[in-house]
Amino acid sequence: MNVEIRTRPATPLVGIALKTSLRDERNLREIPAFWRRLSQDGALFRLAAGAPIYGAVIEFDARSRDFTYLAGFEQPAAQPLPQGMQQSELPAGRYAVLTTTPTPPENCGVEIAAGWLHLHRTWLPASGYLRGTGPEFERYDERFHAQRALVELELWLPLGEE
């Protein structure tokens, strides 16, 4: 799995939040179900108007392993907040970025889980980098569309000092 180091500016997000946990691998069941509900509703995608969609771990409690996952899109903070949505920000900084292997849409959950495991358990320990502070996130752009035979997305892991 290829990992690139990229720097990005701060990015304001607006989206819909899900409270979940790493305990009992709840997140592996709840996040895909959350995306299915969002896809059926369609409001998030209409508001994003074709712009990239993000899935970000915006609040993580290392002790309980509980976190908030925000499915959202870029929106300047000065704009009104859509009803039922909350704001967050992806901080500026340096990130390890893994682009997932192209896979059929129905298999993307397995590919996402494998990518995160690779970043955390294989790449990061061998990289010489430290895990930075702030959210880690998925970025879904034009390469991720349900009408495509194969989809891919980016996994972004914040990096600290070497």
Side-chain angles (χ1 to χ4, degrees):
M1 294 185 169
N2 187 37
V3 177
E4 298 176 45
I5 306 302
R6 296 190 204 162
T7 301
R8 64 177 288 129
T11 306
L13 294 183
V14 168
I16 301 169
L18 168 73
K19 301 277 189 194
T20 188
S21 181
L22 294 175
R23 286 178 284 133
D24 301 321
E25 297 185 334
R26 268 184 33 208
N27 61 311
L28 297 179
R29 295 182 304 278
E30 293 177 347
I31 292 174
F34 180 57
W35 278 112
R36 281 191 295 278
R37 284 192 308 274
L38 292 174
S39 293
Q40 289 169 353
D41 173 73
L44 177 71
F45 303 96
R46 284 190 300 279
L47 288 167
I53 300 283
Y54 294 81
V57 176
I58 59 170
E59 299 162 353
F60 184 79
D61 181 328
R63 206 172 139 165
S64 69
R65 302 178 63 202
D66 295 342
F67 63 95
T68 300
Y69 181 86
L70 184 77
F73 55 93
E74 294 180 30
Q75 178 173 310
Q79 292 186 5
L81 191 61
Q83 184 175 358
M85 296 195 176
Q86 71 180 57
Q87 291 178 309
S88 188
E89 182 175 82
L90 301 175
R94 188 171 45 175
Y95 290 82
V97 182
L98 182 147
T99 301
T100 61
T101 304
T103 190
E106 62 272 13
N107 294 338
C108 71
V110 172
E111 189 66 26
I112 292 168
W116 283 122
L117 280 174
H118 177 75
L119 276 171
H120 284 282
R121 293 188 182 166
T122 304
W123 184 84
L124 189 61
S127 71
Y129 289 98
L130 298 175
R131 180 15 171 125
T133 59
E136 56 188 50
F137 60 92
E138 301 146 4
R139 185 177 182 275
Y140 302 84
D141 59 20
E142 69 279 350
R143 297 169 293 172
F144 190 91
H145 192 280
Q147 305 337 20
R148 294 178 67 127
L150 299 175
V151 297
E152 58 187 304
L153 65 135
E154 296 172 343
L155 307 178
W156 291 66
L157 180 70
L159 296 175
E161 295 303 313
E162 297 178 61

